[in-house]
Every structure is written in C-alpha cells, then in structure tokens.
Amino acid sequence: MTQVAFAPDVFTWPSGEPQLIGARCTACAAVTFPLGPSCPRCGTPGPERHLLPRRGTLWTWTTQDFLPKEPYAGGETPETFRPYGVGLVQLGDEVRVEARLTEADPSRLDFGMELELAIVPFRVDEDGTEVMTYAFGPVGEGEG
Ligand SMILES: [Zn+2]
C-alpha cells in the first residue's frame, strides 16, 4: 500500500524516528509549530527549520467523541468513526503542540504522562493511498 504524508514539511517521514518540523525565529528565538513563513510571535519572516523533540508530556486533553463537522478531511463516516483523543503536548521547554492522541480512553491518560510521536493512518483515498498524520501515544506503544 502506498503511504503519503497529509502535508509536506510537517514531520520527518518515512523514518523510524519521525520528528515534527517546527520553526525557530532568527530574531526572537521563539520555537513554534508548524513551520510557517514568519514568526507568529514577532512577525519576522523566514524562521529556521527546527526539528522538535520526539517525546513530550501531556499538558491537557479532550476526547473527540463524534464525527467532526464538515469540512473534515478524514475519511470516516458516522458508521466507521471511532473516538480519538486530542491533546496539548509539551515538547521540551520550547513549544506546546496540539495533536491527535493514539489513546482515546480517558482512564489511560494522565496529566504529565510521557508521550512519543507516532505517524498513524488518517484516511485512505479512493485509489488506495493511505494518508498519514502525526499523533502522540504512550511511550513504547509502537515497539515490539
Ligand atoms: Zn520572532
């Protein structure tokens, strides 16, 4: 099966150890995600590409229990939709990113728990291409 990233320059992939691609401002040194044309904090154009740590800690989260309203790029229907977690993940001292969580069971999530980046299927296009996105899950979940 062909797999493609849902967008270029969001994460390093294919890779056994993917990383999110953030930005570091050349003027104020703010680290932000995703990489954009200018610094969201001070507006200086052309921030440097800056790879973010693979592991972080869970700051807060919620659970998406129903199919998001249109427009929604996922391929689920109300019949195939499965709830997923959405969290704010603190990566080092630098930046906090919003991401899907591979774990949707609130009883298995906790403030400050260590999470690791994973690249997961987001949807399958009509030609069979699997579109991949990033998510955070408990450390070690993808091993073995
Ligand atoms: Zn800046």
Side-chain angles (χ1 to χ4, degrees):
M1 182 183 289
T2 303
Q3 295 181 327
V4 298
F6 80 97
D9 283 340
V10 176
F11 46 82
T12 60
W13 188 78
S15 167
E17 297 200 333
Q19 287 177 268
L20 294 179
I21 301 170
R24 187 199 297 273
C25 179
T26 56
C28 75
V31 174
T32 53
F33 174 82
L35 177 60
S38 61
C39 173
R41 184 179 293 176
C42 73
T44 300
E48 293 174 341
R49 179 183 162 107
H50 178 72
L51 295 181
L52 301 178
R54 287 180 36 70
R55 290 188 179 186
T57 52
L58 186 56
W59 180 263
T60 188
W61 73 92
T62 186
T63 305
Q64 179 75 38
D65 290 319
F66 54 88
L67 193 64
K69 289 192 176 118
E70 301 286 342
Y72 173 64
E76 300 101 327
T77 66
E79 289 71 38
T80 63
F81 178 77
R82 288 171 51 215
Y84 58 87
V86 178
L88 271 179
V89 181
Q90 178 78 39
L91 298 176
D93 297 329
E94 299 177 317
V95 66
R96 208 173 283 161
V97 303
E98 184 180 318
R100 277 194 185 218
L101 303 175
T102 62
E103 180 59 67
D105 180 352
S107 71
R108 297 186 60 188
L109 295 169
D110 201 5
F111 292 102
M113 73 183 291
E114 192 173 21
L115 299 174
E116 187 170 60
L117 185 69
I119 304 303
V120 299
F122 180 48
R123 66 162 192 265
V124 178
D125 283 346
E126 284 180 11
D127 65 0
T129 300
E130 198 169 30
V131 180
M132 310 297 282
T133 191
Y134 61 92
F136 282 87
V139 172
E141 189 179 62
E143 295 168 8

